[in-house]
Amino acid sequence: MNPTTRLLLPTDVALAPVAGLPAELRRKVSHESGDFYVTRPHTRAGSMIVDARTAALLEHFRAPSTVIDAIVAFCAARPLDAARTLDEAFATLGELVAAKLLVPADSALAEPIMSSLSSGQRVGDVEIIEPIHLLDDTEVYRGRFADGADVALKIVAADIRRHTVVSLQHEANVLARLDGAANPALLGGGRFEGRAFIVTAWLPGVDLYRAAGEAHALPEPARSATLLRLAERILRAYAHLHAQGALHADVHPRNVIIDADDRVTVLDFGLASLPAAGAVGLHGGIDLFLAPELAAAMLSSAPMPAPSVASEQYSLGAMLYLMLTGGHTHAFSLQPDTMLRQLVDEPPLPFSHHGASGAVVEQWIARAMAKDPADRYPSIAAMLQALPPPEPAPTADYGAGDAARALLEAVLHRCRVPGDLYSRELQAPSGSVSRGAAGIAYFLLRMARDRDDDTLLAAADQWLTRAAAALDRPETFWNAERGIVPDILGHSSLFHHACGLHCTQALIAHGRGDDAALHQAVAAYAAAADACDRIDVAFGWSGLLIGCAMLLDVRPAPAARAALLTLGSDLARRLWARLDSGPALEDSLGAAHGWCGYLYATLRWCAAADEAAPAPLRAHLAQLAALGQPVGRALYWPRRAGDAHGQGVLSASWCNGAAGYVHLWTAASGLPDAGIDCGRLARQAAWHAYQGPTDAPGDLCCGLAGRAYALLRLYRWCGEPVWLARAALLARRAAAAPGIAPDHANSLFHGELGIAMLAADLAAPAFACMPFFEDERWTAPAR
């Protein structure tokens, strides 16, 4: 960065207080009170967070200015020392320049960045979907082949420059020689209106900046383990490239993409070299990851050394240092020559300078950043081999936090005896699983099992006895003022009607060891199910099928089991007869009201009853998988196919969003010959459940608690503790979410009970299960 260059903050760069962002965005970024965000649409650079003083300095670049002039003007109105301010501002200004947010005033980047191609336009065999990364010389788009496969299209910008065309052709030549394991596979190329382009495989994921930020948000030991896992994956990717004779020569966090499985892909091979083939890219200039030997050549104006394994190793070490510590290797000076001398002469700052720890890891990475290339590891493979394993740590307690535990005790205290809570505070519908006494009884039953507490089991029985006594009263399941009426909710369902009450009766009878009462409750469940004429989980046959599976899970006596098998088989037959004749897959998709729920309920029943899945189920799973929409390393499914408003709060929820799909794909993973990668789909859904909108309520149905249960499901499925840590973070947010409405306070699915149950389950996550949805393992040993 030349101090005489006039820089500009372009008009399409937003600079605004973080406090003004929607809550869902504020929670995604680490920031302090008073911070500002700087962002430019349609660039992979994304956003940066700066403090208020830096934001005020940046306003001096709204008109072209050198750094020195801007600093002097900024300090003139404040009692600040210009030299000191210059030193303090350099690192941030350098990152802004590197991110193309602060640009040379006489460059094409100074103009608002706009895509030259529009959605739906065709370039060769590619249909353009959306712009991803737009710069002055190249544009990158997500596109799609005719067979539905997503691809990346990189095209020279409309302002065609010879060096850009040469660089793109060079990148294509390099990619053609690589195997696609650690790089995007080259799929084609050509010219469009005189502009060169290449097409590569689309690789969903997030860059290393975002992946590292997510890892740093985790509690220990998940934080350190995740960061070291990322380091291992990055080194493995670069070692693979080097084994093919390729040097990337453009090591930077934005050129490293991490997907849902922590697979690493290296992007942007315009500067890459294949020394054995005589293919050498251009030098990329000064950056914060530059090897000292290259910096020394630049200082002395000597010919630049060719890229080498040793110089790439240093750059990797500097990038991993940033990932591990959250800060750069040096407190870099603004002056280019001084910065180069720092790289040549000064050792990296100690980890402690950034508040990071880990002496063994610090020693390991220091060798990779040795000033003398001969002192570094002999290869990236050797550096990978020397990577220290995570330090042994005691079993982590990823609990729900003090607020959630306090909520659990408060809910238990007020629900132990029905008393006035039932007669005065429990509003209609007072008897349902979702909102009333059956849900409270179920909650107490789960807590009785958790704590081996017979008084809680007795309290659960009292709640059900009261509700059952009022079975025929309208207020037990209906409330016209709140729109809870048969025209909307149907006449019989697991969550809202008598079937849920009878299912809970059967579970309580099982808890008491009363086989006769259990058989009687099963008979009542079957009789009430006859009134059902809908198909979804929330209001219809799919939910009742889940209820049958729940009751089979308690291993009832032969007569009750036979009745359940008869009822469940009939419900499954009716469900699939309706599905075979409609609705279309383009209709409602989510777990509570759509195809995700239909398919999950079927799988849940087949597993419990030991029945084969219906023949069409696999095809429907594949069709549903194809409707997933990528966002970073996640997938989300819109409420309906083609819905343009798919990323709202419900996109991550259990009822209509990604959390429900985690349950579906993990259940489908055990299906022989499924034909799709259900495990990968489950992880991608879990990422959206975790990182989706954060201004959600705390509840089970639409909110953060239901999303946390999805992550717990993935944790039990894959056994990776990091998903338990992520579930705990969502549970803490659920407990801190805006207050539950008074008429929902005692609701299992819409109120505090679901959050309280989650707090209890996080204390024994191996037994955690989404209420009235997953296998609850009532026959398993007590926790």
Side-chain angles (χ1 to χ4, degrees), residues 323-627:
M323 182 192 79
L324 292 167
T325 68
H328 283 290
T329 54
H330 297 77
F332 285 111
S333 167
L334 181 63
Q335 298 296 328
D337 285 356
T338 304
M339 174 185 170
L340 292 172
R341 290 190 190 94
Q342 287 177 294
L343 288 167
V344 172
D345 299 327
E346 295 181 10
L349 294 166
F351 274 25
S352 59
H353 179 83
H354 304 289
S357 58
V360 176
V361 174
E362 184 172 7
Q363 184 178 11
W364 164 77
I365 206 168
R367 181 177 175 185
M369 294 187 295
K371 300 298 183 184
D372 186 344
D375 292 334
R376 298 172 197 157
Y377 297 98
S379 66
I380 301 301
M383 182 182 177
L384 172 63
Q385 186 67 30
L387 176 67
E391 295 182 7
T395 301
D397 177 17
Y398 296 128
D402 293 342
R405 285 190 288 267
L407 176 65
L408 169 60
E409 297 306 319
V411 170
L412 277 172
H413 178 74
R414 76 170 182 254
C415 291
R416 278 182 180 272
V417 179
D420 289 344
L421 183 60
Y422 185 92
S423 58
R424 295 183 184 178
E425 296 185 34
L426 201 61
Q427 300 183 28
S430 59
S432 71
V433 162
S434 178
R435 300 174 184 270
I440 296 173
Y442 170 87
F443 166 77
L444 290 169
L445 175 65
R446 287 271 295 263
M447 296 305 102
R449 182 180 188 273
D450 290 353
R451 301 184 177 204
D452 194 21
D453 187 335
D454 288 341
T455 64
L456 291 175
L457 179 60
D461 201 13
Q462 290 179 55
W463 277 99
L464 252 295
T465 300
R466 285 219 181 184
L471 198 60
D472 296 328
R473 295 178 186 171
E475 65 270 17
T476 302
F477 299 115
W478 311 114
N479 187 328
E481 292 182 0
R482 297 168 65 183
I484 303 173
V485 294
D487 287 347
I488 296 177
L489 274 65
H491 294 274
S492 182
S493 71
L494 181 67
F495 295 92
H496 299 283
H497 305 105
C499 284
L501 187 150
H502 295 312
C503 181
T504 309
Q505 280 181 319
L507 295 175
I508 291 174
H510 167 71
R512 296 198 316 260
D514 189 341
D515 288 342
L518 192 158
H519 186 275
Q520 184 178 6
V522 167
Y525 182 88
D530 280 343
C532 183
D533 60 357
R534 301 197 181 190
I535 65 172
D536 62 349
V537 166
F539 304 145
W541 295 330
S542 296
L544 294 176
L545 202 54
I546 290 173
C548 289
M550 289 175 63
L551 295 175
L552 280 182
D553 290 339
V554 304
R555 299 180 187 174
R561 177 176 174 80
L564 285 168
L565 288 171
T566 298
L567 173 61
S569 296
D570 183 58
L571 287 168
R573 178 189 59 77
R574 283 189 276 172
L575 172 64
W576 279 88
R578 183 78 65 85
L579 293 179
D580 287 342
S581 60
L585 192 67
E586 286 75 15
D587 288 348
S588 187
L589 300 181
H593 303 290
W595 277 91
C596 175
Y598 310 151
L599 301 181
Y600 174 79
T602 301
L603 290 168
R604 179 85 170 81
W605 167 252
C606 290
D610 197 23
E611 290 186 1
L617 184 138
R618 289 173 175 81
H620 288 311
L621 283 171
Q623 292 169 335
L624 190 58
L627 293 175

Side-chain angles (χ1 to χ4, degrees), residues 36 47 62 83 132 167 185 209 219 235-236 300 338 409 499 596 623 653 761 765:
F36 283 65
S47 303
R62 286 299 186 185
I132 300 299
S167 177
Y209 277 127
L235 291 173
R236 195 172 297 281
S300 63
T338 304
E409 297 306 319
C499 284
C596 175
Q623 292 169 335
S653 68
D761 276 345

Side-chain angles (χ1 to χ4, degrees), residues 47-249:
S47 303
M48 287 182 59
I49 303 300
V50 299
D51 59 26
R53 193 164 85 166
T54 303
L57 171 60
L58 287 176
E59 291 294 348
H60 289 272
F61 292 99
R62 286 299 186 185
S65 174
T66 66
V67 171
I68 301 298
D69 288 344
I71 292 286
V72 169
F74 172 72
C75 293
R78 297 167 178 83
L80 296 172
D81 178 79
R84 182 174 180 179
T85 301
L86 190 65
D87 288 340
E88 292 174 348
F90 170 73
T92 301
L93 291 176
E95 290 183 7
L96 287 161
V97 170
K100 305 295 193 296
L101 296 170
L102 192 60
V103 303
D106 58 356
S107 71
L109 277 174
E111 298 299 322
I113 296 175
M114 300 177 64
S115 59
S116 63
L117 303 176
S118 57
S119 177
Q121 190 171 357
R122 300 201 68 85
V123 177
D125 296 329
V126 177
E127 177 189 358
I128 300 300
I129 304 300
E130 62 178 340
I132 300 299
H133 184 198
L134 306 179
L135 295 176
D136 65 325
D137 55 356
T138 55
E139 302 173 9
V140 179
Y141 294 85
R142 181 167 72 93
R144 186 167 292 154
F145 279 155
D147 64 2
D150 281 354
V151 297
L153 183 139
K154 186 174 186 178
I155 187 169
V156 173
D159 179 20
I160 300 173
R161 304 175 190 179
R162 184 179 179 280
H163 79 274
T164 305
V165 176
V166 171
S167 177
L168 193 65
Q169 292 172 341
H170 174 75
E171 181 169 15
N173 291 335
V174 172
L175 291 176
R177 292 172 176 266
L178 300 178
D179 63 7
N183 62 277
L186 182 68
L187 303 178
R191 286 187 176 269
F192 174 76
E193 298 180 350
R195 301 158 60 188
F197 70 86
I198 61 173
V199 181
T200 63
W202 175 257
L203 297 162
V206 297
D207 66 32
L208 183 58
Y209 277 127
R210 182 167 178 183
E214 187 276 327
H216 278 282
L218 295 171
E220 290 289 8
R223 179 190 305 134
S224 295
T226 301
L227 289 169
L228 287 175
R229 177 182 172 87
L230 284 174
E232 182 266 331
R233 295 295 179 92
I234 291 166
L235 291 173
R236 195 172 297 281
Y238 272 91
H240 187 75
L241 292 175
H242 287 194
Q244 297 175 83
L247 295 172
H248 182 225

